[in-house]
C-alpha cells in the first residue's frame, strides 16, 4: 500500500504534466493562425517642424489612422503593442530615424508586438511609403 505522501506526489505530478501539455498544445495551435492586419495612415497636418539645440529635429504631425487589427487577437492574445515610426534612407544608412529630415521622403512604418498568454512573442510591421517632410522649419 502506498503512503499518503506518495499519492499526493503522484496526483500533483499528473496535474502539472497535464497543464504543461495543454500549454504546449495552446502554443502550437495559436501558430496556425496567421494575422493579416491592414492599416492606412494619412498625414493631415504638420503642426510644427523645428531643429533642437542638440541637432535633432522635432516634428509634430496630425494623423488619421485607420487600422484593422482584429486578426491579431486570438484566444491566446494577452496584449498587443502598436506604434508608428517615420523611417527614411540615406546613402550612409539604410534606416534612419530622427535627424536631417528637412525635405526628405520618408516611410511610415506601423510596428506591432503581440504578447500571447502562453508561447512565443512575435512582431511584424507594415511599411507605408510616399510621405515627404516640409523643406522649411516652422
Amino acid at each position: 500500500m502506498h503512503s499518503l505522501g506518495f499519492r499526493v506526489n503522484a496526483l500533483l505530478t499528473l496535474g502539472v504534466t497535464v497543464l504543461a501539455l495543454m500549454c504546449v498544445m495552446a502554443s502550437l495551435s495559436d501558430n496556425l493562425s496567421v494575422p493579416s492586419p491592414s492599416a492606412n495612415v494619412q498625414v493631415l497636418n504638420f503642426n510644427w517642424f523645428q531643429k533642437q539645440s542638440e541637432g535633432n529635429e522635432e516634428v509634430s504631425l496630425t494623423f488619421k489612422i485607420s487600422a484593422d487589427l482584429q486578426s491579431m487577437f486570438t484566444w491566446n492574445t494577452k496584449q498587443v503593442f502598436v506604434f508608428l515610426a517615420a523611417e527614411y534612407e540615406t546613402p550612409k544608412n539604410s534606416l534612419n530615424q530622427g535627424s536631417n529630415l528637412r525635405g526628405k521622403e520618408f516611410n511610415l512604418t506601423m510596428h506591432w508586438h503581440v504578447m500571447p498568454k502562453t508561447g512565443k512573442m512575435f512582431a511584424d510591421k507594415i511599411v507605408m511609403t510616399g510621405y515627404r517632410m516640409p523643406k522649411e522649419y516652422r
Side-chain angles (χ1 to χ4, degrees):
M1 188 102 97
H2 298 294
S3 68
L4 178 64
F6 183 79
R7 290 179 184 184
V8 170
N9 184 25
L11 186 63
L12 287 175
T13 302
L14 176 66
V16 169
T17 303
V18 169
L19 185 61
L21 285 173
M22 288 176 64
C23 287
V24 168
M25 289 177 11
S27 296
L28 292 176
S29 71
D30 197 41
N31 288 336
L32 298 176
S33 67
V34 179
S36 57
S38 62
N40 183 23
V41 178
Q42 292 176 326
V43 177
L44 299 178
N45 191 20
F46 287 90
N47 300 325
W48 76 81
F49 182 36
Q50 62 190 15
K51 190 165 184 102
Q52 296 177 335
S53 59
E54 64 270 359
N56 286 335
E57 294 169 324
E58 185 176 283
V59 181
S60 172
L61 304 169
T62 303
F63 294 113
K64 179 180 179 183
I65 301 173
S66 174
D68 180 13
L69 307 176
Q70 190 171 1
S71 64
M72 286 193 277
F73 291 92
T74 65
W75 62 271
N76 193 28
T77 302
K78 181 176 186 178
Q79 178 175 317
V80 177
F81 178 69
V82 179
F83 64 96
L84 198 62
E87 301 172 343
Y88 62 97
E89 288 187 23
T90 60
K92 205 177 209 184
N93 297 314
S94 62
L95 180 63
N96 295 282
Q97 297 175 344
S99 61
N100 300 323
L101 297 172
R102 198 168 16 169
K104 296 268 191 219
E105 283 194 26
F106 66 98
N107 301 328
L108 286 175
T109 306
M110 181 177 282
H111 298 265
W112 63 86
H113 300 266
V114 178
M115 179 185 288
K117 292 176 186 168
T118 179
K120 185 177 93 169
M121 189 166 112
F122 69 93
D124 206 352
K125 63 185 176 181
I126 297 175
V127 178
M128 295 161 276
T129 60
Y131 301 96
R132 182 176 285 282
M133 285 290 181
K135 293 188 181 201
E136 306 217 357
Y137 296 123
R138 293 190 213 178

